[in-house]
């Protein structure tokens, strides 16, 4: 990964990004009784925050740290370790293309190339209209349906480049057609 | 062979995720039996069944439970549902089709180990599966299978799902524990083992989804049934996955000891390769366990496997012992990825090397550096700028990383070394042919284009090999 240096000491207040709302904080607090330590709520807290804000902002890292009584640096340490957390703005829908050996043998590489061309972006980037972000994933554990890709929650199986137009044109291409649990959703959504 | 599937009996049954359907086929009867026994007797029965962990290492679950200290107030059970080994998806099938079988297993294991709280650590990529399992947990709570005084036995157990966020190393048991505690998933130095000091510094048991899913059946069908399945030291049924360009990719259940050939070609299993192609190489235990030569090679005339000769190795039986005769690291997850005859081994090597370079957690130097150097070298070979000495270099790197040479905290680098080493050793001729076919000038151009720092390096001819000393010193 490329080296990016940020001077966080003198960072302007408006560059910290949005913070946690009261409802998000309440939702995070609801996880506290599950664990004997506050710090263990960190991963659920980050999932909830990312669902609500689309990414983990610097301000939300500070506020999560305060809520869970841990240093903000430790929050950032965890955020940057896991590949699912985004610190920069993310599109409304995130496309994860599987690049495991099985999917590659079944044509995953070509699928990714066509998708990049269609969206006009590279891995880790977002389309200018803010609709899609693109990333690759090591294995989506759906190898019998290779090549596969995940759009937000919905898994698309056995995707050939010819299917892409249809998938991208469908406004509900990221929605599951099944009852969901709202556990990690932003408060007020879903249900 | 009349084998009746048990782990996958509800796959394809309508509404199989609901409690009613699960109970209609004898669900939670095993838990009822187990909870009527003493916890110690439950452990003894699982020990007698020799239920070996299905997550990869194959450690007997019953013996793992006996490592817990006798005097303890709190015990945690971590369920490893972080299935991140490509190309494994049997846990996904269990969670998707029969979540209550897993929950019943958690209840039995929890009772046997006197667990107070069970955490299901589920990989972040499982979206649909999370909703299914969460619904099943809610149902189980409502029906009194979790919570206080379960089945009037006086036993209390809480069960929560904890979602991961995309890290292969969190499938390692201490990496999983660290991640659950809200830290980066860096594996811990052992000892102390999790059974003594694990999650939140308390005694902890970590078991795989499939291991736990086996438990109800040991209690309902009995020890004799269980011991009648499988081979000498590998008892019980196993969910095998096969993927790649086979006619019927998917997950199939069979007793332990299925041969790789049967898994790929059997009518009830993979059903052969598409377009009648042959197998060049198969990685039978998830990618980390190493590679076997396929049937593009001649048949072995003898009975003993000989990895030094170019023979077809598909007769390897997938149990905990036979894989070692073929030089594999272990059974792993018994998920085979089949590479057909027309694939380029340079691309296969590159894909594997990239995976480990991406997923090494960066804690131990030889793994962090070794995996990224393997990736760089594999990329060079795939770009058409390989050198014969690169193959020696790859083998050299793999021999100096991992727990086996005693250099790392967890087994990830062993899992990285095995496929790379076996592929380089078994397909050395093919790699050398590619390298011989390169023009030295074009290769030098590739190197200079991809790595400007290499501009002043001498152009090495395709036949150049480093002397063994040079490799050791570098």
């Amino acid at each position: 990964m490329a080296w990016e240096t940020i001077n966080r000491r003198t960072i302007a207040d408006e560059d910290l990004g949005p913070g946690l709302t009261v409802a998000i904080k309440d939702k995070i607090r609801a996880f506290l009784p599950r664990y004997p330590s506050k710090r263990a709520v960190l991963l659920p807290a980050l999932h909830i925050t990312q669902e609500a804000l689309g990414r983990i902002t610097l301000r939300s890292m500070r506020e999560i740290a305060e809520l869970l009584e841990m240093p903000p640096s430790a929050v950032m340490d965890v955020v940057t370790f896991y590949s699912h957390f985004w610190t920069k703005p993310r599109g409304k829908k995130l496309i994860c293309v599987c690049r495991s050996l099985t999917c590659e043998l079944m044509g995953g590489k070509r699928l990714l190339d066509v998708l990049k061309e269609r969206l006009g972006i590279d891995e880790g980037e977002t389309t200018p209209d803010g609709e899609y972000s693109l990333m690759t994933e090591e294995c989506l554990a759906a190898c019998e349906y290779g090549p596969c890709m995940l759009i937000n929650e919905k898994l698309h199986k056995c995707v050939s480049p010819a299917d892409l137009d249809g998938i991208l044109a469908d406004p509900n291409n990221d929605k599951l057609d099944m009852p969901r649990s709202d556990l990690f959703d932003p408060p007020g959504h879903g249900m | 062979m009349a084998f009746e599937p048990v782990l996958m009996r509800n796959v394809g049954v309508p509404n199989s995720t609901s409690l009613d359907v699960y109970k209609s086929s004898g669900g939670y009867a095993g838990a009822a039996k187990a909870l009527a026994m003493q916890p110690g007797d439950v452990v003894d029965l699982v020990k007698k069944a020799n239920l070996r962990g299905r997550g990869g290492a194959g450690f007997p679950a019953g013996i793992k439970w006996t490592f817990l200290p006798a005097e303890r107030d709190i015990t945690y059970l971590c369920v490893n549902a972080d299935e991140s080994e490509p190309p494994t998806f049997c846990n996904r099938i269990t969670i998707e089709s029969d979540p209550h079988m897993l929950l019943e297993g958690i209840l039995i294991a929890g009772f046997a180990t006197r667990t107070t709280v069970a955490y299901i650590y589920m990989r972040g990529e499982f979206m649909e599966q999370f909703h299914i399992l969460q619904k099943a947990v809610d149902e189980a709570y409502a029906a009194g299978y979790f919570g206080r005084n379960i089945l009037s036995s006086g036993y209390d157990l809480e069960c929560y799902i904890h979602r991961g966020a995309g890290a292969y190393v969190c499938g390692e048991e201490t990496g999983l524990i660290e991640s659950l505690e809200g830290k980066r998933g860096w594996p811990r130095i052992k000892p102390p083992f999790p059974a003594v000091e694990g999650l939140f510094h308390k005694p902890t048991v970590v078991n795989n989804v499939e291991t736990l899913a086996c438990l109800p059946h040991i209690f309902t069908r009995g020890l004799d049934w269980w011991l009648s399945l499988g081979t000498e030291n590998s008892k019980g049924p196993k969910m095998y996955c096969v993927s790649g360009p086979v006619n019927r990719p998917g997950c199939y259940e069979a007793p332990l000891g299925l041969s790789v050939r049967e898994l790929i070609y059997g009518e009830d299993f993979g059903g052969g390769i598409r377009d009648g192609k042959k197998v060049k190489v198969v990685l039978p235990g998830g990618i980390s366990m190493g590679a076997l030569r396929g049937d593009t090679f001649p048949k072995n005339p003898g009975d003993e496997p000989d990895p030094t000769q170019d023979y077809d190795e598909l007769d390897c039986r997938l149990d905990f012992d036979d894989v070692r005769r073929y030089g594999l690291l272990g059974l792993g997850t018994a998920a085979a990825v089949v590479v057909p005859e027309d694939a380029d081994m340079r691309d296969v090597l590159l894909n594997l090397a990239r995976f480990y370079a991406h997923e090494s957690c960066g804690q131990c130097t030889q793994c962090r550096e070794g995996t990224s150097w393997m990736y760089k070298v594999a990329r060079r070979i795939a770009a058409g700028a390989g050198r014969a000495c690169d193959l020696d270099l790859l083998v050299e790197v793999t021999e100096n990383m991992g727990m086996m040479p005693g250099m790392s905290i967890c087994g990830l680098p062993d899992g990285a070394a095995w496929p790379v080493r076996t592929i380089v050793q078994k397909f050395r001729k093919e790699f050398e042919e590619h390298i011989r076919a390169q023009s030295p000038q074009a290769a030098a151009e590739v190197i200079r284009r991809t790595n400007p720092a290499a501009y002043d390096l001498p152009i090495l001819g395709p036949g150049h090999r480093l002397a063994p000393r040079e490799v050791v010193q570098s």
Side-chain angles (χ1 to χ4, degrees):
Chain A
M1 208 173 270
W3 219 239
E4 265 177 61
T5 45
I6 311 168
N7 184 349
R8 293 191 187 85
R9 212 175 201 180
T10 56
I11 205 156
D13 191 62
E14 62 267 26
D15 292 337
L16 289 174
L20 306 182
T21 61
V22 175
I24 299 175
K25 283 185 183 168
D26 284 345
K27 188 133 189 171
I28 294 173
R29 282 198 197 96
F31 276 78
L32 287 170
R34 294 182 167 209
Y35 305 92
S37 89
K38 285 194 169 177
R39 186 176 177 155
V41 184
L42 183 53
L43 279 188
L46 292 172
H47 278 300
I48 294 166
T49 307
Q50 178 150 300
E51 277 292 330
L53 304 179
R55 62 178 166 135
I56 311 292
T57 59
L58 287 173
R59 195 187 305 276
S60 64
M61 285 187 216
R62 284 185 185 174
E63 288 173 355
I64 289 172
E66 202 176 308
L67 202 62
L68 304 181
E69 294 169 18
M70 58 193 283
S73 59
V75 177
M76 180 174 252
D77 175 86
V78 169
V79 169
T80 52
F81 181 81
Y82 295 95
S83 61
H84 284 193
F85 297 128
W86 285 62
T87 48
K88 55 182 181 181
R90 195 179 66 161
K92 264 185 250 154
K93 295 175 184 175
L94 174 66
I95 307 184
C96 285
V97 181
C98 181
R99 58 173 182 181
S100 74
L101 183 56
T102 300
C103 283
E104 188 177 307
L105 289 169
M106 305 305 286
K109 217 181 226 171
R110 213 178 103 66
L111 175 69
L112 181 63
D113 288 340
V114 174
L115 199 53
K116 278 182 190 170
E117 201 189 293
R118 200 65 53 91
L119 298 174
I121 51 172
D122 209 345
E123 279 169 54
E125 292 178 354
T126 304
T127 51
D129 61 358
E131 190 67 17
Y132 289 106
S133 291
L134 182 65
M135 66 182 276
T136 50
E137 189 66 59
E138 287 302 346
C139 185
L140 294 173
C143 311
E144 76 266 53
Y145 304 119
C148 50
M149 64 183 201
L150 200 62
I151 303 184
N152 283 356
E153 297 202 346
K154 172 122 176 112
L155 183 72
H156 293 267
K157 301 164 176 175
C158 303
V159 188
S160 78
D163 301 337
L164 277 179
D165 278 332
I167 291 173
L168 292 179
D170 177 8
N172 289 325
N173 58 9
D174 64 332
K175 305 254 184 339
L176 289 176
D177 41 6
M178 57 175 284
R180 297 176 75 263
S181 161
D182 67 336
L183 220 51
F184 290 92
D185 285 350
H189 291 244
M191 290 303 275
Chain B
M1 183 180 64
F3 168 71
E4 185 200 337
V6 289
L7 298 174
M8 290 179 64
R9 63 177 175 188
N10 281 340
V11 174
V13 172
N15 214 4
S16 64
T17 57
S18 72
L19 181 61
D20 294 339
V21 172
Y22 184 64
K23 281 181 86 171
S24 70
S25 54
Y28 287 104
K33 258 188 195 170
L35 264 63
M37 296 160 70
Q38 289 298 316
D41 297 338
V42 177
V43 176
D44 280 340
L45 185 72
V46 175
K47 256 161 83 179
K48 273 190 205 130
N50 192 14
L51 168 60
R52 297 179 68 170
R54 303 302 204 233
F59 196 82
I63 295 183
K64 204 180 209 177
W65 295 350
T66 56
F67 292 158
L68 292 165
E71 295 293 320
R72 59 184 194 274
D73 49 348
I74 296 175
T75 312
Y76 292 112
L77 173 67
C78 296
V79 182
N80 190 342
D82 192 57
E83 188 169 59
S84 31
E85 175 81 24
T88 313
F89 46 92
C90 48
N91 295 355
R92 193 199 88 226
I93 304 262
T94 303
I95 293 169
E96 224 168 55
S97 309
D98 218 348
H100 282 286
M101 186 166 66
L102 168 63
L103 299 182
E104 187 180 354
I106 292 172
L107 179 53
I108 296 172
F111 177 73
T113 54
R114 291 189 273 141
T115 291
T116 37
V117 186
Y119 295 105
I120 305 174
Y121 188 95
M122 189 179 219
R123 67 184 310 212
E125 289 87 346
F126 282 171
M127 301 288 189
E128 216 178 308
Q129 293 75 16
F130 167 74
H131 300 305
I132 292 172
L133 190 59
Q134 184 60 48
K135 188 169 158 275
V137 170
D138 294 344
E139 259 184 336
Y141 262 106
Y145 294 114
F146 289 125
R148 305 222 149 260
N149 192 16
I150 299 165
L151 301 175
S152 329
S153 64
Y155 171 62
D156 307 336
L157 176 65
E158 301 291 333
C159 178
Y160 302 117
I161 303 177
H162 188 94
R163 277 182 67 203
Y168 175 65
V169 77
C170 292
E172 202 274 345
E173 57 177 8
T174 52
L176 186 152
I177 288 171
E178 285 281 303
S179 178
L180 243 168
E181 290 184 358
K183 302 170 190 162
R184 52 168 72 191
W186 272 11
R188 291 177 183 171
I189 295 174
K190 288 162 272 187
F193 287 94
V196 179
E197 193 185 317
L199 187 63
F200 307 118
H201 302 292
K202 299 289 183 204
T204 303
V205 175
V206 185
N207 279 142
N208 177 264
V209 167
E210 199 184 336
T211 315
L212 295 171
C214 287
L215 288 172
H217 306 294
I218 298 179
F219 287 86
T220 48
R221 291 172 178 250
L223 200 55
D224 293 335
W225 164 81
W226 177 267
L227 293 175
S228 72
L229 298 174
T231 55
E232 197 188 346
N233 289 316
S234 314
K235 296 295 182 195
K238 173 87 188 88
M239 290 165 79
Y240 293 95
C241 304
V242 57
S243 62
V246 291
N247 285 320
R248 301 173 68 228
C251 185
Y252 302 100
E253 186 182 347
L256 276 164
L258 186 75
S259 80
V260 181
R261 195 184 305 281
E262 180 75 12
L263 181 60
I264 298 172
Y265 284 102
E267 281 303 309
D268 300 332
F269 301 98
I273 311 291
R274 284 186 195 170
D275 307 325
K277 283 183 194 158
K278 285 185 167 179
V279 184
K280 183 185 241 176
V281 58
V282 52
L283 296 129
I287 58 173
S288 299
M289 296 297 126
L292 294 177
R293 296 182 188 90
D295 52 8
T296 45
F297 292 95
K299 263 209 152 329
N300 186 352
D303 292 332
E304 272 303 301
D306 185 359
T308 60
Q309 298 295 314
D310 280 343
Y311 291 138
D312 174 356
E313 293 172 322
L314 295 186
D315 289 318
C316 174
R317 306 197 83 79
L318 291 171
D319 62 23
F320 292 103
D321 302 313
D322 203 45
V323 287
R324 292 186 202 275
R325 296 201 309 149
Y326 286 84
L328 299 180
L329 186 55
L331 176 64
T333 53
V337 53
V338 182
V339 180
E341 54 186 315
D342 51 359
D344 189 335
M345 288 312 290
R346 294 178 295 178
D347 294 338
V348 174
L349 182 70
L350 179 64
N351 187 294
L352 298 177
R354 196 220 51 241
F355 175 77
Y356 296 107
H358 184 254
E359 294 297 349
S360 169
C361 77
Q363 194 175 191
C364 311
T365 311
Q366 38 72 42
C367 173
R368 180 183 66 235
E369 296 298 315
T371 50
S372 27
W373 273 104
M374 288 195 314
Y375 177 39
K376 284 178 194 169
V377 173
R379 208 161 50 176
R380 182 159 68 207
I381 295 173
R387 304 168 300 181
C389 59
D390 282 340
L391 303 175
D392 298 324
L393 189 60
L394 280 174
V395 173
E396 171 82 24
V397 171
T398 61
E399 278 168 357
N400 286 290
M401 57 197 281
M403 279 174 107
M404 301 223 166
M407 291 188 175
S408 69
I409 293 172
C410 82
L412 189 148
D414 295 293
W418 243 260
V420 170
R421 179 155 76 236
T422 46
I423 282 182
V424 169
Q425 285 174 342
K426 292 180 180 180
F427 293 87
R428 187 166 186 125
K429 279 188 194 135
E430 186 186 326
F431 285 113
E432 283 177 340
E433 258 167 47
H434 283 301
I435 291 169
R436 257 198 302 279
Q438 293 162 190
S439 111
Q441 293 302 331
E445 282 308 310
V446 171
I447 291 187
R448 285 169 184 168
R449 201 169 57 238
T450 50
N451 181 7
Y455 199 79
D456 290 333
L457 289 180
I459 297 171
L460 300 176
H464 182 91
R465 299 181 71 146
L466 295 185
R469 289 283 303 163
E470 276 183 75
V471 179
V472 175
Q473 283 174 346
S474 60

